[in-house]
Amino acid sequence: MNLDDLPVVSQVFESGADDRVFDSLLLLGPVVIVLIVLLGRSLLTAVLAVFYLGVFCGYVVYRGATFGS
């Protein structure tokens, strides 16, 4: 089974930015939110949220800096 075979994942990949990393980060966002809701507010979920936001923002800045080069 390939990730592209899943209904929601394939739609995101087809309509996304043609960037697998960015599309994956977009798909992981709701998973992070669900984990935070299920586990409650704790040090682990705070670290997870900060890590996710750091990676997401870092990747967006990286892509912006390398756009066109």
Side-chain angles (χ1 to χ4, degrees):
M1 181 171 194
N2 194 356
L3 276 177
D4 292 336
D5 296 336
L6 298 173
V8 174
V9 174
S10 65
Q11 291 174 352
V12 170
F13 283 149
E14 289 175 7
S15 63
D18 291 332
D19 185 343
R20 291 280 183 170
V21 175
F22 188 72
D23 291 342
S24 299
L25 286 170
L26 288 178
L27 287 171
L28 282 176
V31 173
V32 170
I33 292 172
V34 168
L35 280 175
I36 292 171
V37 168
L38 291 176
L39 298 175
R41 189 174 184 178
S42 67
L43 179 62
L44 175 68
T45 56
V47 169
L48 177 68
V50 169
F51 179 74
Y52 173 78
L53 289 174
V55 170
F56 188 86
C57 292
Y59 187 72
V60 169
V61 169
Y62 168 75
R63 292 296 296 172
T66 60
F67 182 73
S69 58

